[in-house]
Amino acid sequence: MLDEKYYVFFAIYLRWCIEHDLMGEDFLSKYSLIVQKVRTTPDIIDLREFIRDELKGQLTISMFNKIGQAFTGYYYGETDSPNFSQDIENYALEYFGPEKYYSDEFLFKAPLFIPFDEAYYKDMAKVMDRRFENWQGQRFDESTLEPSEVAQSIMEFLDCECTYFPSMADDDPIMAAYSYAKRDCEHDGFVPMLIRADDEILLECLVMNADPAHDNDIHEFNLKTVGEYRKRWLNESILDGKSVLKSMIEDRRLEALDDDMDWEEEILGEMK
């Protein structure tokens, strides 16, 4: 029989769904006593034991009502962002810190070692509240559901793992995906980036930087040339960003002076 710690995630999710009235009538009727305790005195009931012994270690979609089923399919059942298990991993990283989270002690199972207490549940409940709020009010621009030609070309140019997001009213799924990528970036050696996918000027700049002699359609670039350009810059020494920025600002300041422009008023302006 599995250790109780393997049922912690189910327990967190089930308690939150009971508290948010997402369980189906059959479940509420059959386990009315459990539901009552969760709603009134959650500190005296251990849902891990209930899930292990009564639910046979499973949460099935039929246990939820229609809204619960839809949200569970969105947040718990899919691997896209946002995702419940990924949010648990984010919490574990924050709880333990990067060094311990990635240590051999945990063998990539850090969430199993978080103490199961009220603080853990409340912290995760705040995250889940945000996901649920987003899911309820989310709207997408239907014209952007599929990537445009520019977006497809940018992803082809980048030639790495890319996730496309349509235009949306609430950016929670985008920021969730970014947080998941950011969690592993230092350990796995990559830098996550958010890129505006319909920016034709960006595509044009990317192509022209990689191949200054390019005079064809910007969507018809040579991936071999792009690869050689990328490899060349990766082999260069890394410059000090602050020094580069300071030099560029000074160049621009001198240009403004030559053009009789007021640096403070016309160039810097007022921060809004």
Side-chain angles (χ1 to χ4, degrees):
M1 183 177 291
L2 285 175
D3 190 286
E4 285 183 359
K5 66 183 178 182
Y6 287 94
Y7 300 108
V8 168
F9 316 131
F10 283 164
I12 291 173
Y13 193 79
L14 179 58
R15 174 178 167 182
W16 184 88
C17 286
I18 291 174
E19 292 179 346
H20 288 73
D21 299 321
L22 298 181
M23 306 310 297
E25 290 298 326
D26 289 345
F27 182 93
L28 295 174
S29 175
K30 186 174 182 179
Y31 303 112
S32 58
L33 183 59
I34 296 294
V35 172
Q36 182 182 3
K37 288 182 178 180
V38 169
R39 289 175 174 171
T40 56
T41 53
D43 53 318
I44 67 171
I45 180 172
D46 192 336
L47 285 177
R48 294 174 299 175
E49 295 177 0
F50 168 70
I51 292 168
R52 182 192 64 194
D53 301 336
E54 294 293 329
L55 302 184
K56 308 305 180 186
Q58 299 182 62
L59 293 183
T60 62
I61 199 70
S62 62
M63 295 177 182
F64 303 92
N65 59 27
K66 287 185 177 180
I67 296 178
Q69 289 179 14
F71 179 68
T72 298
Y74 164 78
Y75 182 50
Y76 202 113
E78 300 295 334
T79 56
D80 297 333
S81 69
N83 176 267
F84 177 70
S85 62
Q86 293 282 7
D87 284 338
I88 289 284
E89 291 287 350
N90 275 11
Y91 184 82
L93 176 63
E94 182 179 349
Y95 185 88
F96 290 115
E99 184 176 350
K100 194 168 185 179
Y101 176 85
Y102 289 108
S103 68
D104 293 338
E105 175 187 356
F106 291 154
L107 298 174
F108 299 101
K109 294 181 179 180
L112 296 176
F113 295 89
I114 302 172
F116 184 48
D117 54 22
E118 191 67 8
Y120 184 9
Y121 172 74
K122 287 185 175 179
D123 287 343
M124 280 305 304
K126 290 178 183 177
V127 176
M128 297 167 72
D129 287 344
R130 169 67 182 138
R131 303 305 187 211
F132 189 60
E133 179 185 358
N134 160 258
W135 175 75
Q136 287 183 305
Q138 186 63 280
R139 300 185 311 279
F140 296 93
D141 181 344
E142 293 189 4
S143 67
T144 66
L145 293 180
E146 296 295 331
S148 65
E149 182 183 12
V150 172
Q152 290 175 338
S153 294
I154 288 178
M155 289 189 286
E156 182 183 355
F157 180 96
L158 294 174
D159 193 27
C160 64
E161 183 178 343
C162 297
T163 301
Y164 172 79
F165 292 93
S167 178
M168 60 186 72
D170 187 328
D171 67 1
D172 186 58
I174 299 174
M175 297 314 299
Y178 182 76
S179 74
Y180 303 155
K182 191 170 180 290
R183 184 183 69 233
D184 294 329
C185 66
E186 185 174 349
H187 180 265
D188 293 346
F190 66 91
V191 179
M193 297 184 68
L194 294 174
I195 297 175
R196 179 174 171 176
D198 65 345
D199 193 336
E200 192 165 357
I201 295 178
L202 171 61
L203 175 61
E204 185 175 359
C205 290
L206 289 172
V207 174
M208 291 181 66
N209 284 337
D211 184 8
H214 183 87
D215 58 1
N216 298 322
D217 187 297
I218 58 171
H219 299 280
E220 298 176 359
F221 48 83
N222 188 312
L223 273 179
K224 182 179 179 181
T225 303
V226 172
E228 292 170 351
Y229 162 78
R230 184 174 288 129
K231 184 177 181 180
R232 185 168 68 253
W233 277 104
L234 286 172
N235 289 330
E236 289 287 329
S237 298
I238 298 176
L239 301 176
D240 177 71
K242 290 184 178 179
S243 298
V244 173
L245 182 60
K246 184 178 180 180
S247 175
M248 293 174 69
I249 290 175
E250 180 61 18
D251 290 344
R252 185 69 186 95
R253 193 185 67 79
L254 292 175
E255 289 175 2
L257 185 64
D258 289 342
D259 294 337
D260 294 325
M261 299 179 71
D262 187 297
W263 177 253
E264 293 293 335
E265 294 294 329
E266 297 182 77
I267 304 301
L268 297 186
E270 181 183 352
M271 179 66 72
K272 294 184 179 179

